[in-house]
Amino acid sequence: MLAHESEYVSYNSQIIVEFKGDVRQEDMRAAIDKAIREIPLLRSHIEETAFNFKRFYKTEADFNSKQVVELRDEVLDQDTIDQFCQKKFDLSKSPAFKFLIGKTSAKKNILLFNVHHTLCDAAGQFHLLEEVFRAMNGMEIREGAKTDKVFRYRTLWKHMGWKWFFGHIYSQLRPLSKQRQYQMATLIDHHNKPQRFVTSTTMQLSFSEQDKIRVTCKKFDISITEYLTYCCFKALDTSLKKRGDHKTPIMVYLPKTLRPLLKIRYSLQNILTTVWIVGKRDEIHELKFLGKVKHIINSHKMDKAAKFIFGTLWASSVLKPKMLKNIYQKFDRDPKSISSSLLISAGRVPRSYTFPEGWSDISVWARGTMLKSPGVGVIFTGVAGAETLTIEYLKDLTEKDTIENFKTNLLDELLRVTR
């Protein structure tokens, strides 16, 4: 991520909480200050050396909640949200996170928690936000957050053994620049623009819509991730046909946490792999394709995760930063380097999640970094009874009408319960 970060690419990730009730400004600032004091990761920064990128931890923070909390007594429109989310962090200094609090047009409060993705993965970001919420409720920061001993892929040998570790390194020894590049269908309208300005549109699903989705998942014994993926394939196919593309294969990728597979109960740092699914255009509308999607997602265990881990990350760990930057810049300059069609992420906020006392009518949605490939992402999340569907895309590369057409097709597929 650091080698790919540029004037245009910002690896920021956001959790957005909408709610009714008192913001509790003073309690929130005190809770954030407590988190800064007790969570080392929040006080860390990254330095680029001649050989690698290295994280350092400060014993004491040189900032406090005043520098990371921005409060606006106004409605935050889409442009304001986009600009806040896109603003780059100086990773050579801490902090690599920031809060923005404002109002929504529906007269609710809105809290945006923006974090650089090198600090944590999505699950880790939810953990960090919960630590602040717990502190607002007078609870202690959990011990798992107080350590600077975070997960590193190079320590996988401790979980999987030396034989597994070095066997997969050997099997994936291919230069980054020589790895196979796929050509997949895309919703991008303007391929030659270098900008990566991310915007998003969020749908608050009604109780009826949420119930229909649950009924379908139960009927076919599938998870929301599997059902959303299946529907995304069909909706994307319909949108592509409207653009005159009837044949190009569709590839989606899904970030998948390794926490359950590695039996890690709590960690703030990145523990991710990527699930790739390719669908031929003549197969994705058949019900048996849903079985294929379910099988690929469920069978993605550690051996399949190794292809992602050692196929890319080993090279990133041994090549010098300057060389890595040149490789990624070359990929970005190629207008035909469309290796995937869609990013998909799905996961409800657990019922056990702690929110500040006094907050009600809570709704959660999320968004993050978008790259030219895939250029469009679909994120399903939310709390029980208030689920959301967010479509994020690159504002300069894809027309709004294209996204609106895809959104209509996706909602239609998700609510089609009779098949």
Side-chain angles (χ1 to χ4, degrees), residues 232-241 245 250 281 284-285:
C232 280
F233 267 104
K234 294 192 292 181
L236 187 54
D237 176 69
T238 302
S239 295
L240 290 167
K241 285 177 178 175
D245 183 346
I250 295 172
R281 302 290 286 281
I284 61 179
H285 286 276

Side-chain angles (χ1 to χ4, degrees), residues 210-260:
Q210 294 173 64
D211 187 60
K212 286 181 179 179
I213 292 172
R214 281 193 295 271
V215 167
T216 304
C217 289
K218 185 176 181 180
K219 175 181 178 181
F220 292 105
D221 189 27
I222 53 176
S223 68
I224 181 59
T225 302
E226 294 154 6
Y227 183 53
L228 177 62
T229 302
Y230 178 55
C231 291
C232 280
F233 267 104
K234 294 192 292 181
L236 187 54
D237 176 69
T238 302
S239 295
L240 290 167
K241 285 177 178 175
K242 184 177 180 180
R243 296 156 61 92
D245 183 346
H246 295 261
K247 294 184 178 180
T248 312
I250 295 172
M251 175 192 277
V252 304
Y253 75 85
L254 302 88
K256 182 174 182 177
T257 180
L258 297 177
R259 286 170 168 83

Side-chain angles (χ1 to χ4, degrees), residues 296-341:
I296 292 175
I297 293 175
N298 283 289
S299 64
H300 192 88
K301 307 299 183 183
M302 288 304 300
D303 282 347
K304 290 188 177 180
K307 184 176 181 180
F308 164 76
I309 296 168
F310 298 108
T312 302
L313 297 183
W314 81 267
S316 300
S317 66
V318 299
L319 295 180
K320 294 181 179 180
K322 185 177 180 180
M323 186 179 298
L324 278 174
K325 289 179 180 180
N326 290 335
I327 293 172
Y328 290 127
Q329 286 173 5
K330 185 177 180 181
F331 286 160
D332 267 357
R333 285 194 296 265
D334 182 1
K336 296 182 179 180
S337 63
I338 304 299
S339 56
S340 59
S341 309

Side-chain angles (χ1 to χ4, degrees), residues 121-313:
D121 61 345
Q125 189 173 356
F126 271 100
H127 283 325
L128 282 173
L129 185 57
E130 188 178 20
E131 296 303 339
V132 172
F133 290 164
R134 285 168 55 88
M136 288 178 66
N137 291 346
M139 303 168 71
E140 292 300 316
I141 301 292
R142 285 173 289 198
E143 291 301 315
K146 295 180 180 181
T147 178
D148 61 359
K149 298 184 184 301
V150 293
F151 177 85
R152 292 287 182 269
Y153 283 94
R154 61 176 173 265
T155 61
L156 268 177
W157 64 269
K158 294 181 179 179
H159 298 271
M160 304 301 297
W162 286 105
K163 184 178 180 180
W164 183 93
F165 186 82
F166 283 109
H168 282 290
I169 288 181
Y170 179 78
S171 66
Q172 299 297 330
L173 286 177
R174 295 172 295 163
L176 284 175
S177 58
K178 299 295 184 181
Q179 292 186 30
R180 181 179 177 184
Q181 297 298 303
Y182 299 94
Q183 185 62 39
M184 295 293 161
T186 179
L187 289 178
I188 289 178
D189 296 302
H190 310 291
H191 291 275
N192 292 314
K193 292 188 177 181
Q195 289 81 5
R196 300 290 190 275
F197 193 84
V198 181
T199 189
S200 62
T201 175
T202 296
M203 295 176 278
Q204 301 280 344
L205 298 175
S206 68
F207 289 114
S208 174
E209 290 169 339
Q210 294 173 64
D211 187 60
K212 286 181 179 179
I213 292 172
R214 281 193 295 271
V215 167
T216 304
C217 289
K218 185 176 181 180
K219 175 181 178 181
F220 292 105
D221 189 27
I222 53 176
S223 68
I224 181 59
T225 302
E226 294 154 6
Y227 183 53
L228 177 62
T229 302
Y230 178 55
C231 291
C232 280
F233 267 104
K234 294 192 292 181
L236 187 54
D237 176 69
T238 302
S239 295
L240 290 167
K241 285 177 178 175
K242 184 177 180 180
R243 296 156 61 92
D245 183 346
H246 295 261
K247 294 184 178 180
T248 312
I250 295 172
M251 175 192 277
V252 304
Y253 75 85
L254 302 88
K256 182 174 182 177
T257 180
L258 297 177
R259 286 170 168 83
L261 296 175
L262 297 175
K263 296 182 175 59
I264 297 174
R265 299 189 64 181
Y266 186 101
S267 176
L268 301 178
Q269 269 284 2
N270 300 349
I271 316 177
L272 293 174
T273 180
T274 299
V275 182
W276 288 279
I277 306 176
V278 178
K280 296 179 181 179
R281 302 290 286 281
D282 59 356
E283 71 169 334
I284 61 179
H285 286 276
E286 299 177 6
L287 189 57
K288 65 180 181 181
F289 184 69
L290 177 56
K292 175 181 176 179
V293 169
K294 180 177 180 179
H295 172 73
I296 292 175
I297 293 175
N298 283 289
S299 64
H300 192 88
K301 307 299 183 183
M302 288 304 300
D303 282 347
K304 290 188 177 180
K307 184 176 181 180
F308 164 76
I309 296 168
F310 298 108
T312 302
L313 297 183

